[in-house]
Amino acid sequence: MTAPAIFARLSGFFLVFMIMALSLVTPSVAQSQTTRITRVVSPGGIEAWLVREKTLPLIAMEFAFMGGAAQDPKGKPGIASLTASLLDEGAGDLTAAAFHQAVADKAMEIGFDANRDDLRGSLRTLSENKDAAFDLLRLAVTQPRFDTEAVERIRAAQLAALRRRSTDPNSIASETWFARAFPDHAYGRPVDGSLATVPTITREDLAAFAKRTMARDNLKVAVVGDISPEDLGRVLDHVFGALPAKADLVPITDVAPKGIGTVDVVPLDVPQSVVLMGSTGLKRQDKDFIPAYVLNHILGGSAFSSRLFKEVREARGLAYSVYSYQVALDHAGLWFAGTATKNERAGESIRIIGEEFAKILAEGPTKEELDEAKSYLTGSYALRFDTSSKVAGQLLQIQIDDLGIDYIDKRNALIQAVTLDDLKRAAKRLTDAKDALTVVVGRPQGLSGG
């Protein structure tokens, strides 16, 4: 069987496996046994969560170093992103070309990415190639080369992507919103840097960032597949054991968005205005996060049944797509709504979104809306686990959010336990859209505020 065929078969297996595991809405011994998450601690003290599955010879690993782009030096954003892009561009005694060839020869996948709060890595391999795969991963995380050729090639690619995004309304709206909301905070810096800062990043910057942020004490690991706990323990020490014991992270303070209640227009000659409205939300560890999550689903989190969809698209035809969502960063909780609409109807769209925010925060949803939200949110949860990589990714995120190793067992029960009173209590803690920081990219008409 070819590697792609095995990967496809594993995806189907995990869909069935996790649907069975998540079909119950209350915790039970049977469900806990079905999910089979094992906490593994290596001889060197490195921890990982493992779902062992011997049916198919595959291994998926997801891991993260906490810190991310928030650790970029002030005035030089883009270092974390460029570092992540270069970790698999040559390591140890392997040039970039040799490293890529070794990955291709064994039909494995290795990749890295950075966001505001962490730098993440992933690996997928056939279990028969695990020794070679973990050797390459070890080199990437402990001995990245940052060769001049690779640095300049990846820098050029990053600059090209930034140029494309400089004319993309959605990218402009997002970066403008964060810059306005967090002008004096790490979250206000662009994760991928800017056309001005990326050219100034040196090899020394990249090496220093990797050394300072990639350590054993800020590492989270999740593994799914054909590997025993004992073997995984040895792998953890082999791959990550040579990293520094402790990261040297700059403290990041908790922050709330500024500019609340203002409208910021970024002129761009496009037929539609892109609207992004952001306000204060709840952090992931907040006791009202789950009620707020359900409330958001009813407001704008559901693609075709949310209040925003019904009012903005169905009732008035103002936009094809309208949505709301929560963002729980390590140091800020945020709540967004957004749409794209004809320039001449931008003001009307913003007004309708604001009215729907105000209505649901003041009155709360109906019992029917709550029941429908619970049914969807619990029933669709299994779709987050339909491949081995998704399972590993979910286990990693649960670790990052510090939700506990039994969270998968508890999650649907937490959703089912939400009451109308819970939603009203959470609503009182959220910010009305009329008090949001609103960024509009285009040539909007009919706006108020500024």
Side-chain angles (χ1 to χ4, degrees):
M1 184 180 293
T2 65
I6 293 176
F7 281 135
R9 185 179 167 197
L10 182 67
S11 297
F13 167 80
F14 268 102
L15 175 59
V16 174
F17 170 71
M18 293 310 296
I19 286 175
M20 291 173 61
L22 298 168
S23 60
L24 301 177
V25 297
T26 56
S28 71
V29 173
Q31 185 181 13
S32 180
Q33 291 174 342
T34 304
T35 54
R36 301 202 306 271
I37 304 171
T38 301
R39 179 183 282 110
V40 176
V41 179
S42 75
I46 301 171
E47 180 179 326
W49 290 4
L50 168 67
V51 172
R52 187 181 186 187
E53 180 44 58
K54 297 183 287 184
T55 304
L56 291 171
L58 287 167
I59 300 171
M61 172 184 281
E62 299 281 333
F63 59 94
F65 296 98
M66 306 310 297
Q71 294 296 313
D72 283 346
K74 186 176 181 181
K76 218 170 192 180
I79 294 178
S81 178
L82 200 58
T83 299
S85 298
L86 281 157
L87 291 176
D88 61 349
E89 292 289 339
D93 59 356
L94 300 177
T95 64
F99 191 97
H100 293 162
Q101 189 61 54
V103 169
D105 287 345
K106 297 295 184 180
M108 64 185 73
E109 298 175 9
I110 296 176
F112 299 89
D113 190 25
N115 56 43
R116 284 184 168 83
D117 289 324
D118 54 59
L119 187 156
R120 300 193 183 201
S122 64
L123 175 141
R124 295 184 77 192
T125 182
L126 297 170
S127 53
E128 68 183 48
N129 297 329
K130 66 178 184 294
D131 290 343
F134 288 128
D135 255 344
L136 288 172
L137 184 61
R138 174 183 60 84
L139 292 176
V141 298
T142 63
Q143 300 178 47
R145 290 168 64 106
F146 301 122
D147 290 335
T148 299
E149 181 277 330
V151 170
E152 295 310 317
R153 175 165 44 82
I154 299 302
R155 188 200 311 274
Q158 190 145 320
L159 287 169
L162 289 170
R163 291 188 191 98
R164 289 192 298 271
R165 282 158 50 181
S166 69
T167 59
D168 174 66
N170 290 290
S171 298
I172 295 170
S174 177
E175 292 199 3
T176 301
W177 192 94
F178 275 92
R180 300 289 191 271
F182 305 114
D184 303 312
H185 192 274
Y187 285 164
R189 306 169 197 158
V191 171
D192 293 326
S194 69
L195 293 172
T197 64
V198 170
T200 70
I201 296 172
T202 66
R203 181 190 184 281
E204 289 71 27
D205 292 329
L206 302 170
F209 182 90
K211 182 178 181 180
R212 186 169 59 83
T213 63
M214 297 172 64
R216 301 196 302 272
D217 71 327
N218 66 330
L219 172 66
K220 310 286 185 183
V221 185
V223 180
V224 175
D226 182 24
I227 187 169
S228 70
E230 294 75 21
D231 284 345
L232 178 57
R234 289 188 286 271
V235 163
L236 293 172
D237 284 344
H238 177 66
V239 173
F240 303 110
L243 290 170
K246 293 185 178 298
D248 182 20
L249 301 182
V250 175
I252 306 297
T253 58
D254 288 354
V255 65
K258 297 182 179 179
I260 297 301
T262 65
V263 179
D264 193 343
V265 176
V266 182
L268 189 68
D269 288 327
V270 288
Q272 285 194 323
S273 290
V274 168
V275 177
L276 183 63
M277 309 166 72
S279 58
T280 302
L282 301 179
K283 294 171 67 175
R284 188 60 186 87
Q285 286 292 322
D286 194 288
K287 64 181 178 63
D288 284 329
F289 181 87
I290 290 293
Y293 174 69
V294 176
L295 185 71
N296 175 74
H297 178 82
I298 295 168
L299 174 66
S302 173
F304 299 107
S305 63
S306 71
R307 288 193 180 189
L308 290 180
F309 181 87
K310 292 175 180 176
E311 290 299 322
V312 174
R313 176 176 168 173
E314 287 188 346
R316 295 173 175 83
L318 294 173
Y320 178 79
S321 171
V322 61
Y323 51 85
S324 66
Y325 58 96
Q326 291 175 287
V327 174
L329 299 172
D330 284 356
H331 302 284
L334 304 171
W335 195 16
F336 288 98
T339 191
T341 186
K342 292 180 180 179
N343 286 322
E344 58 268 26
R345 306 195 74 177
E348 182 183 0
S349 298
I350 292 171
R351 177 178 60 80
I352 297 302
I353 292 172
E355 289 175 356
E356 289 304 312
F357 260 78
K359 186 183 299 182
I360 203 167
L361 294 183
E363 303 171 5
T366 66
K367 178 67 163 55
E368 181 181 5
E369 287 176 318
L370 175 57
D371 290 342
E372 289 178 355
K374 288 181 179 181
S375 177
Y376 177 85
L377 292 173
T378 56
S380 64
Y381 189 48
L383 298 179
R384 301 185 187 184
F385 301 88
D386 60 359
T387 69
S388 56
S389 293
K390 282 187 180 181
V391 176
Q394 286 294 312
L395 295 184
L396 177 65
Q397 192 61 50
I398 291 168
Q399 290 182 68
I400 290 172
D401 291 337
D402 195 23
L403 300 177
I405 201 167
D406 60 345
Y407 179 74
I408 292 176
D409 292 340
K410 298 190 302 184
R411 187 268 190 184
N412 277 358
L414 294 173
I415 298 290
Q416 290 288 1
V418 172
T419 66
L420 289 173
D421 286 341
D422 292 332
L423 298 183
K424 291 177 181 177
R425 183 184 67 249
K428 291 179 180 178
R429 301 184 57 202
L430 297 169
T431 304
D432 197 316
K434 65 179 172 51
D435 294 323
L437 166 59
T438 299
V439 173
V440 188
V441 180
R443 297 291 180 182
Q445 299 175 24
L447 299 185
S448 61

